[in-house]
Amino acid sequence: MSEMLEIVSDVFEKMCKDFVTKETVDLLEEGQWASALWQQLEDNELLKVAVTEQHGGANGDIADLLALYQLVGYYSVPAPVLEHTLANFILEAVGLTPYSTVTTILFDEQYDKADGTMHHVPWARVAQQLVLVAKKQLMVIDLSQATITQATNLAAEPRDTVSFQQAGIIAQVALSKQQLQQLISYSTAAKLAAMSGALDKAFQLTVRYSKEREQFGRPIHRFQLIQQHIAILAGEAAIATAAIENIAHGMERSEIAFASIRLDEASKIVATSAHQVHAAIGVTYEHSLQHYTRRLWAWRDEGFTAHYWQNQLAQELLQIEDLWAWMTTK
């Protein structure tokens, strides 16, 4: 981690500790969000970490964003930090200007025009513009002219339905197949980084609970079965962290595919073991474990899933003549 990234991560995490409590995350259940945190991030220009200096940013890169997205997942940040910063990063990647007002992003290959209805648009209710990445083009759409019906995913995060009739297109650019693949890689890496953070937090919560909860006169972490669960959780959390570090170093599609498939499996294992250790309290609103396991279950089914990357990887493998050489060099 570079010195600049270390400083930025420390400041971002301090704000999360100060502003993201369990009660703040619970605001999503009531249709609210962490606007106070958003204002702090905006005032400290942490939403411009990966924006170029030309547009007033810190000139960071995707590796810097992935480090922040791990914290977004670790604290269940109830604000569109990932969507806004990723949208601006992608806008600059295709030669367009980023926005300071709240911006969200949606990948949907079905749309080649900005008309009709789009489902599962993250945070559309608070965003001013939508970056729509379609099969052959990218469009920036003014959301002030859209009809927005509020909806949520399993974790109560906004996933709204947006309807347009002759929507106002602010900017538009054609995408090559290679550009689209690169943008899909960025989107998947961002989601995986957030999942990595949530996996780690579920592990940390489980360790803490196992030390606090007592049965038969001693903390439950002294029981062999609980120790086995904790060992499994530690292994999965370490694998997830290592996978994100590998992605950040080169953004290779094969690394993203492997990580997507592995973290999909890890999310099932971690959610199962963490709830086994917590027992009934882990599924109640009074305990924060459900914030993280619900996000893992929601995120693994959103965007470009492990199933998508399994197909991509299979297609790539079918093109290779010397499979052994490929396997031993990857």
Side-chain angles (χ1 to χ4, degrees):
M1 183 180 290
S2 69
E3 186 177 349
M4 186 201 85
L5 178 56
E6 192 170 349
I7 294 171
V8 170
S9 296
D10 287 346
V11 174
F12 187 89
E13 183 162 23
K14 183 177 186 309
M15 289 188 181
C16 288
K17 287 178 178 176
D18 291 344
F19 288 91
V20 184
T21 62
K22 180 184 178 301
E23 290 71 26
T24 312
V25 181
D26 285 341
L27 288 175
L28 288 179
E29 306 285 346
E30 303 166 8
Q32 302 178 52
W33 65 300
S35 54
L37 170 66
W38 183 267
Q39 191 60 54
Q40 286 292 321
L41 295 174
E42 201 169 35
D43 292 346
N44 288 276
E45 300 190 340
L46 288 172
L47 299 174
K48 293 183 177 179
V49 167
V51 172
T52 60
E53 291 180 356
Q54 177 189 356
H55 295 117
N59 219 24
D61 55 21
I62 189 66
D64 300 323
L65 285 181
L66 295 184
L68 295 189
Y69 296 159
Q70 286 181 289
L71 293 172
V72 167
Y74 189 86
Y75 288 95
S76 293
V77 173
V81 175
L82 186 152
E83 291 79 6
H84 175 79
T85 53
L86 180 64
N88 277 336
F89 180 77
I90 283 178
L91 284 175
E92 289 202 296
V94 298
L96 296 177
T97 304
Y99 292 87
S100 56
T101 52
V102 182
T103 305
T104 189
I105 186 167
L106 177 71
F107 282 73
D108 198 323
E109 295 184 1
Q110 295 179 356
Y111 291 94
D112 58 0
K113 58 182 180 180
D115 280 328
T117 301
M118 302 172 195
H119 300 280
H120 309 298
V121 182
W123 295 94
R125 68 190 70 174
V126 299
Q128 276 72 56
Q129 49 275 324
L130 163 67
V131 175
L132 175 63
V133 182
K135 191 171 185 178
K136 295 183 178 178
Q137 62 181 333
L138 179 150
M139 291 178 280
V140 182
I141 302 171
D142 182 3
L143 284 176
S144 66
Q145 301 176 27
T147 301
I148 298 173
T149 304
Q150 295 192 4
T152 64
N153 64 9
L154 184 64
E157 294 178 307
R159 297 292 185 268
D160 300 325
T161 299
V162 179
S163 300
F164 295 101
Q165 286 185 343
Q166 297 182 335
I169 299 176
I170 304 170
Q172 191 170 11
V173 64
L175 294 177
S176 66
K177 183 179 178 181
Q178 290 72 25
Q179 280 181 306
L180 178 61
Q181 288 180 342
Q182 187 64 55
L183 300 188
I184 289 173
S185 295
Y186 290 146
S187 175
T188 306
K191 181 181 77 166
L192 295 177
M195 288 179 68
S196 166
L199 286 165
D200 190 31
K201 187 57 175 283
F203 163 53
Q204 299 294 343
L205 287 174
T206 305
V207 171
R208 188 173 72 187
Y209 180 77
S210 71
K211 292 179 179 177
E212 295 171 348
R213 182 79 169 94
E214 292 189 0
Q215 280 284 10
F216 306 110
R218 55 180 179 167
I220 61 173
H221 73 84
R222 293 187 181 175
F223 293 96
Q224 192 172 32
L225 181 59
I226 300 299
Q227 292 171 355
Q228 182 182 358
H229 279 302
I230 291 173
I232 290 171
L233 290 169
E236 297 299 321
I239 288 170
T241 302
I244 300 306
E245 289 176 356
N246 287 339
I247 290 174
H249 284 154
M251 286 299 296
E252 292 186 17
R253 280 178 61 81
S254 57
E255 287 289 350
I256 294 170
F258 296 144
S260 181
I261 296 166
R262 189 60 185 85
L263 263 65
D264 181 82
E265 185 68 18
S267 64
K268 290 184 286 187
I269 296 170
V270 168
T272 301
S273 281
H275 280 290
Q276 285 276 350
V277 173
H278 281 80
I281 195 170
V283 296
T284 63
Y285 281 111
E286 285 70 28
H287 200 283
S288 60
L289 178 64
Q290 46 91 14
H291 287 154
Y292 304 95
T293 52
R294 287 165 67 200
R295 278 164 175 73
L296 288 173
W297 289 323
W299 292 344
R300 64 190 288 266
D301 289 333
E302 293 182 338
F304 299 94
T305 63
H307 181 66
Y308 170 87
W309 285 104
Q310 285 167 346
N311 283 333
Q312 294 292 310
L313 198 55
Q315 293 299 323
E316 183 180 345
L317 293 176
L318 289 172
Q319 307 288 327
I320 296 171
E321 293 184 2
D322 190 346
L323 189 58
W324 178 253
W326 184 88
M327 292 174 63
T328 53
T329 54
K330 286 290 180 180

